[in-house]
């Protein structure tokens, strides 16, 4: 949790990078195509890496993520002149290589967290990084939106967060316990439930499509280039969302026992509300409000969904299972950035309409599951 709190401020790079591309001449359609092209090579490698880490120490994989991200951010910062597109593409490819190892976060958490406290732990897992976001994002957003607004300033920001990976790698190496093969033994009596796992996979499909059709660069394009705001206003939306995610974690603790699937379904409908209002091209303040409502829904369903997810996967196969699911999601999301960019080139908020359909389908699916369990 502390590690995720440390890296939370650096996630502003995920906002700055697509905005930087648009500031330097890329259209929203070209940004979507850029992300799609880099995604293609990631699909088979994700599963291969996950299978390897069934035997290797997962902590070393987490360290590799931060090293690769650091290299990528420095490359973004060094992208200047005629070869800038090549360096940007190379940096994005390196960053995408680090995302191949992201399933190891889930695998590591499943192993080190006590199973009987999953819901409580994941509530705190959300809260602490959100607090770091609330403190850091408005400051950085204001500076980069109103004081240091040139592409050169963005490049220096990329380099700073790239070098900050030295701190996070040191923390991982010194303070996180190793998780080798011997720590990954499923509890006695564990039975893999293939039928329920297929149900979870179907829900993952709907969820991946719903989020993938309205990625972050769609919000950035709308706020900065349609509403004519700055990255500061984008960070205000993120901060409002973080506040509501914290509120949502406390609300999740008050959900009656056995009503987890109802909570997930209700959260999906809140996500659908956010997507529906955004599809109507709202004002900035209304966009801020509905993003916050949607993220309250995310925090409400996240602990129950993650707990359900973890209880279906054998611990000795954690990294392989999480990597396989991630590869599956990458296949589903392979073209969604391009589709989102194409829709946004027609109308800036059209991608949210497609996302709305996905969230409604996911919510109805979870209500059906909850009804079968009652």
């Amino acid at each position: 949790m502390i590690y995720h709190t440390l890296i939370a401020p650096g996630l502003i790079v995920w906002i700055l990078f697509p905005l930087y591309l648009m500031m330097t001449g890329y259209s929203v359609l070209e940004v979507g195509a850029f992300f799609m092209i880099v995604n293609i090579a990631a699909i088979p490698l994700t599963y291969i890496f996950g299978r390897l880490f069934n035997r290797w120490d997962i902590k070393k994989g987490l360290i590799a993520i931060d090293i690769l991200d650091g290299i990528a951010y420095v490359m973004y910062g060094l992208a200047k002149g005629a070869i800038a597109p090549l360096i940007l593409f190379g940096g994005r490819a390196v960053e995408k290589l680090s995302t191949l190892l992201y399933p190891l976060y889930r695998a590591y958490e499943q192993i080190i967290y006590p199973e009987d406290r999953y819901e409580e732990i994941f509530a705190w897992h959300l809260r602490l990084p959100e607090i770091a976001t609330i403190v850091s994002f408005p400051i950085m957003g204001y500076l980069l939106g109103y004081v240091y607004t040139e592409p050169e300033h963005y490049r220096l920001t990329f380099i700073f967060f790239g070098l900050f990976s030295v701190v996070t790698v040191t923390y991982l190496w010194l303070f996180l316990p190793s998780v080798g093969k011997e720590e990954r033994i499923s509890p006695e009596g564990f039975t893999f439930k293939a039928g329920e796992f297929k149900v979870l996979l179907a829900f993952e499909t709907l969820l991946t499509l719903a989020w993938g059709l309205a990625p972050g660069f769609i919000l950035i394009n709308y706020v900065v280039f349609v509403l004519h705001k700055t990255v500061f206003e984008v960070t205000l939306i993120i901060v409002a969302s973080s506040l509501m995610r914290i509120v949502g974690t406390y609300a999740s603790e008050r959900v009656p026992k056995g009503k987890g699937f109802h909570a997930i379904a209700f959260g999906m409908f809140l996500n659908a509300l956010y997507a529906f209002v955004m599809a109507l091209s709202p004002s900035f303040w209304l966009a801020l409000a509905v993003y916050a409502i949607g993220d309250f829904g995310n925090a409400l369903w996240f602990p129950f969904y993650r707990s359900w997810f973890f209880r279906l996967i054998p611990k000795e196969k954690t990294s392989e299972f999480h990597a396989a699911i991630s590869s599956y999601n990458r296949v589903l999301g392979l073209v969604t950035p391009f589709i989102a960019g194409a829709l946004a080139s027609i109308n800036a908020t059209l991608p949210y309409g497609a996302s709305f359909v996905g969230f409604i389908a996911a919510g109805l699916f979870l209500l059906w599951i909850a009804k079968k369990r009652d």
Side-chain angles (χ1 to χ4, degrees), residues 117-165:
R117 299 182 65 189
Y118 275 161
E119 286 88 351
E120 175 191 355
I121 287 170
F122 285 121
W124 281 103
H125 184 81
L126 279 178
R127 286 174 195 149
L128 293 178
E130 299 303 346
I131 292 170
T133 299
I134 290 168
V135 172
S136 62
F137 269 43
I139 297 171
M140 294 187 293
Y142 178 78
L143 291 174
L144 294 168
Y146 288 102
V147 182
Y148 304 108
T149 60
E150 299 300 320
E152 179 65 28
H153 301 136
Y154 282 40
R155 286 194 290 269
L156 290 174
T157 304
F158 296 148
I159 292 172
F160 171 81
F161 282 113
L163 296 177
F164 188 73
S165 64

Side-chain angles (χ1 to χ4, degrees), residues 243-254:
L243 283 168
M244 291 305 291
R245 275 196 291 269
I246 293 172
V247 174
T249 62
Y250 287 103
S252 72
E253 293 178 336
R254 287 160 177 76

Side-chain angles (χ1 to χ4, degrees), residues 69-284:
D69 281 344
I71 293 171
Y73 296 169
V74 170
M75 290 180 71
Y76 295 158
L78 297 178
K80 294 177 66 176
I83 62 170
L86 291 177
I87 299 176
L88 289 171
F89 186 86
R92 181 63 183 175
V94 171
E95 186 180 5
K96 183 55 65 175
L97 185 61
S98 83
T99 69
L100 304 184
L101 300 174
Y102 279 11
L104 296 180
Y105 286 128
R106 287 185 178 184
Y108 190 83
E109 290 158 4
Q110 181 178 348
I111 294 165
I112 66 170
Y113 292 157
E115 187 173 339
D116 59 345
R117 299 182 65 189
Y118 275 161
E119 286 88 351
E120 175 191 355
I121 287 170
F122 285 121
W124 281 103
H125 184 81
L126 279 178
R127 286 174 195 149
L128 293 178
E130 299 303 346
I131 292 170
T133 299
I134 290 168
V135 172
S136 62
F137 269 43
I139 297 171
M140 294 187 293
Y142 178 78
L143 291 174
L144 294 168
Y146 288 102
V147 182
Y148 304 108
T149 60
E150 299 300 320
E152 179 65 28
H153 301 136
Y154 282 40
R155 286 194 290 269
L156 290 174
T157 304
F158 296 148
I159 292 172
F160 171 81
F161 282 113
L163 296 177
F164 188 73
S165 64
V166 174
V167 176
T168 57
V169 166
T170 301
Y171 178 84
L172 287 169
W173 183 262
L174 294 179
F175 296 107
L176 264 65
S178 295
V179 174
K181 188 175 181 180
E182 61 277 7
E183 285 85 14
R184 289 177 251 183
I185 301 174
S186 294
E188 189 174 348
F190 175 88
T191 302
F192 178 64
K193 302 173 183 177
E196 190 168 357
F197 188 79
K198 291 176 183 176
V199 170
L200 182 143
L201 207 58
F203 178 71
E204 276 277 313
T205 301
L206 294 171
L207 196 60
T208 300
L209 291 174
W211 283 116
L213 289 168
F217 72 84
I218 297 299
L219 172 65
I220 295 165
N221 179 64
Y222 180 62
V223 172
V224 177
F225 296 99
V226 177
L227 297 181
H228 304 293
K229 305 294 184 181
T230 72
V231 70
F232 175 62
E233 282 76 17
V234 177
T235 60
L236 288 183
I237 291 176
I238 293 170
V239 167
S241 298
S242 293
L243 283 168
M244 291 305 291
R245 275 196 291 269
I246 293 172
V247 174
T249 62
Y250 287 103
S252 72
E253 293 178 336
R254 287 160 177 76
V255 173
K257 190 174 179 62
K259 295 295 183 180
F261 283 101
H262 292 86
I264 299 173
F266 181 65
M268 288 296 101
F269 286 120
L270 290 179
N271 290 154
L273 173 63
Y274 124 82
F276 176 75
V277 175
M278 287 301 302
L280 301 177
S281 303
S283 67
F284 168 74

